[in-house]
Amino acid sequence: MAADAAAAAREREGGEWEFEGGRQRDPSALFEVSLSFACPSLCRQWFRCTIPSSSQGLIAFAAMSFTARRKIQKEKGQEPDEFEESVAQALFDLESTNSELKSELRDLFINSAKEVDVSGNRKAVVIHVPYRLRKAFQKIHARLVRELEKKFSGKDVIVIATRRILRPPKKGSAVNRPRSRTLTAVHEAVLEDLVYPSEIVGKRVRYRLDGSRIMRVYLDPKERNSTEYKLETFAGVYKKLTGKEVTFEYPIQEATTA
């Protein structure tokens, strides 16, 4: 059926299914259902088909799933895995039910999500968001992370912007590589996203006898109450993403005497 093929094509691009109608058509227990598919990059189109009444539960579930799918848009048309779909569904649920986040989340979506083992039985949820939406996510960071951690109980939620690392240009090439696309710059930016809303106030690199090194990062004590319980998560996630060892601390504040 041409309509089904068109709908399937648009489904792969990510969008929203909305179901309307549902009236009894004839004694054979067929329901006439109107489907509308909304895709940001395509014109809105309507399709009409008949669906057996016994499939209504499945259709309702599919409608809910496709609606949540607009909250995740992976690169190169890749399909999200089961965990990524659960994160997208959590974001859609917050948009639908949380009055404080509804307007801010309406135009936001993520690129990917994965579960990371941090230490022992502790796990973290690492969510990658489009770089152009980074500031919008940071604006609601505290409220969003708090609500997501409630939904993924026992797991710390980390939000990081998606960045690309470009290879160094070949010798003699006239192409210049932006510094923001170098390995060092991207790793530094990931570190800043990782500890947000806390700010990094100092860094120190210590070299071991075997030649390896470990970086010590000092965070602003002003956000200690909201970030201290995540220090192990920060270190574990950063090593998973970059392969570098980091410890996070707060600078020692000397007591001032009058």
Side-chain angles (χ1 to χ4, degrees), residues 225-244:
N225 292 336
S226 60
T227 57
E228 187 171 18
Y229 72 98
K230 287 186 174 182
L231 296 185
E232 288 186 6
T233 299
F234 292 160
V237 170
Y238 191 72
K239 187 171 183 179
K240 289 284 186 181
L241 295 178
T242 65
K244 297 179 179 179

Side-chain angles (χ1 to χ4, degrees), residues 64-173:
M64 178 184 67
S65 300
F66 288 129
T67 303
R69 281 285 297 275
R70 67 185 176 84
K71 304 305 292 183
I72 179 169
Q73 297 183 20
K74 295 180 69 69
E75 297 180 347
K76 300 180 181 179
Q78 298 177 355
E79 291 293 325
D81 57 31
E82 184 177 352
F83 182 74
E84 290 175 328
E85 288 181 349
S86 69
V87 175
Q89 185 64 52
L91 290 172
F92 176 74
D93 292 342
L94 287 176
E95 180 185 336
S96 303
T97 60
N98 192 304
S99 58
E100 294 183 359
L101 296 172
K102 184 174 184 179
S103 58
E104 286 89 348
L105 283 174
R106 183 177 294 115
D107 298 324
L108 300 183
F109 58 90
I110 65 175
N111 289 139
S112 65
K114 61 181 178 180
E115 196 174 51
V116 174
D117 294 325
V118 179
S119 60
N121 295 326
R122 194 168 184 177
K123 297 180 181 292
V125 178
V126 181
I127 301 174
H128 283 88
V129 304
Y131 180 80
R132 63 184 177 86
L133 299 179
R134 178 175 60 95
K135 291 185 178 180
F137 272 99
Q138 288 182 347
K139 184 178 179 181
I140 59 173
H141 183 276
R143 290 175 292 165
L144 179 61
V145 168
R146 183 176 63 249
E147 294 299 326
L148 288 176
E149 287 181 347
K150 290 179 183 178
K151 290 182 175 293
F152 297 94
S153 58
K155 300 174 184 176
D156 296 327
V157 175
I158 305 295
V159 180
I160 297 176
T162 301
R163 295 178 174 86
R164 293 181 180 178
I165 300 173
L166 296 181
R167 294 181 179 180
K170 294 182 179 180
K171 189 175 182 179
S173 174

